Amino acid sequence: MRNKNPAAPSSHVTFPTETTPVDVLRFWMGDDWPCDWPAADRDDLWFKGGAAVDERIRQRFAADVTHAIEGGLSDWENDPHHRLALVLLLDQFTRNIHRGRPQAFAGDARAQALVTDALTQRLDARLPVVGRLFMYMPLMHAEDLALQEECVARFTVLQQQAPAPLRDTLAGNLRYAILHRDIVARFGRFPHRNAALGRPSTAEETAFLVDGPRFGQ
């Protein structure tokens, strides 16, 4: 029978795990994860990273990330919040656990499929503002110009529709989305990934890596 869900692998593998989607959401967004924005600042966890953060995520979620990359946890896809937790495993936690290695991007294809399917079903509309932000993030990581354009469009609407106190913060996220889009429009990929993926850089990319912004990891 044909798989009716384009975001899920045809095998619908589900691995046993003690981790729940709420465990992932609480770790990433705090106990107030159903709210539009966490009460406590979480930028150090979300965007600054570092060895200590990477190791913290590795110790707690490495097995779950592996399961997700291998096609597991398909039962998390049905509920919008649970799908968001799966997207976090595939798109965010991979980059912490496998920083600087090819596996850092191994979850991207599935994450992007889950997101595009969620947009088709309008599942993102059922998430709080911060949930929509991270649901759209795999689009920002895509080496595909059409997905990058979709990302900029989604971040634009998110910033416009958000409660007034969040608009300045989301304007910053929108600027990053535009910068990512512009890099893919110029190179067709993120040159910063070339070393990790064993891709040779062009002369233009080499010059860009010296002076350009460090986006696309």
Side-chain angles (χ1 to χ4, degrees):
M1 180 180 293
R2 183 184 178 191
N3 177 19
K4 295 181 180 180
N5 184 351
S10 59
S11 60
H12 288 281
V13 179
T14 301
F15 296 85
T17 178
E18 295 181 359
T19 302
T20 70
V22 172
D23 291 334
V24 175
L25 296 172
R26 281 180 173 159
F27 176 87
W28 197 245
M29 295 182 287
D31 289 337
D32 51 352
W33 62 268
C35 300
D36 269 336
W37 206 260
D41 182 83
R42 305 186 73 80
D43 277 4
D44 285 350
L45 175 64
W46 292 349
F47 302 121
K48 296 181 181 178
V53 170
D54 292 351
E55 184 58 25
R56 182 181 168 200
I57 294 173
R58 183 179 297 109
Q59 289 184 3
R60 185 162 181 186
F61 296 107
D64 305 299
V65 167
T66 298
H67 294 167
I69 289 172
E70 292 178 354
L73 306 177
S74 58
D75 54 317
W76 290 23
E77 296 178 8
N78 301 320
D79 176 89
H81 293 91
H82 296 182
R83 181 178 290 219
L84 172 61
L86 179 55
V87 166
L88 289 171
L89 292 178
L90 291 163
D91 179 70
Q92 295 292 322
F93 293 7
T94 47
R95 284 165 165 75
N96 294 101
I97 292 172
H98 300 296
R99 190 180 300 277
R101 294 180 288 167
Q103 297 95 320
F105 316 107
D108 285 10
R110 186 180 180 194
Q112 290 157 19
L114 286 166
V115 171
T116 54
D117 178 67
L119 298 180
T120 298
Q121 297 188 58
R122 297 185 55 82
L123 299 181
D124 58 311
R126 296 165 59 184
L127 297 172
V129 171
V130 67
R132 291 171 65 187
L133 172 73
F134 283 104
M135 181 64 82
Y136 302 153
M137 200 66 74
L139 303 177
M140 192 187 296
H141 292 152
E143 292 188 314
D144 178 286
L145 186 55
L147 293 182
Q148 287 289 335
E149 295 288 4
E150 181 72 21
C151 179
V152 171
R154 295 288 173 171
F155 271 79
T156 299
V157 172
L158 182 64
Q159 194 270 339
Q160 293 172 344
Q161 293 180 345
L166 297 178
R167 289 177 192 160
D168 285 347
T169 296
L170 292 169
N173 296 122
L174 174 58
R175 285 194 294 273
Y176 278 106
I178 293 170
L179 287 168
H180 279 74
R181 187 272 315 276
D182 290 348
I183 291 172
V184 173
R186 178 178 175 183
F187 297 107
R189 61 185 185 176
F190 292 114
H192 303 94
R193 297 182 188 177
N194 290 351
L197 294 174
R199 303 187 305 206
S201 295
T202 66
E204 184 181 7
E205 287 176 333
T206 300
F208 174 79
L209 290 170
V210 174
D211 301 318
R214 293 201 60 79
F215 299 135
Q217 300 294 336

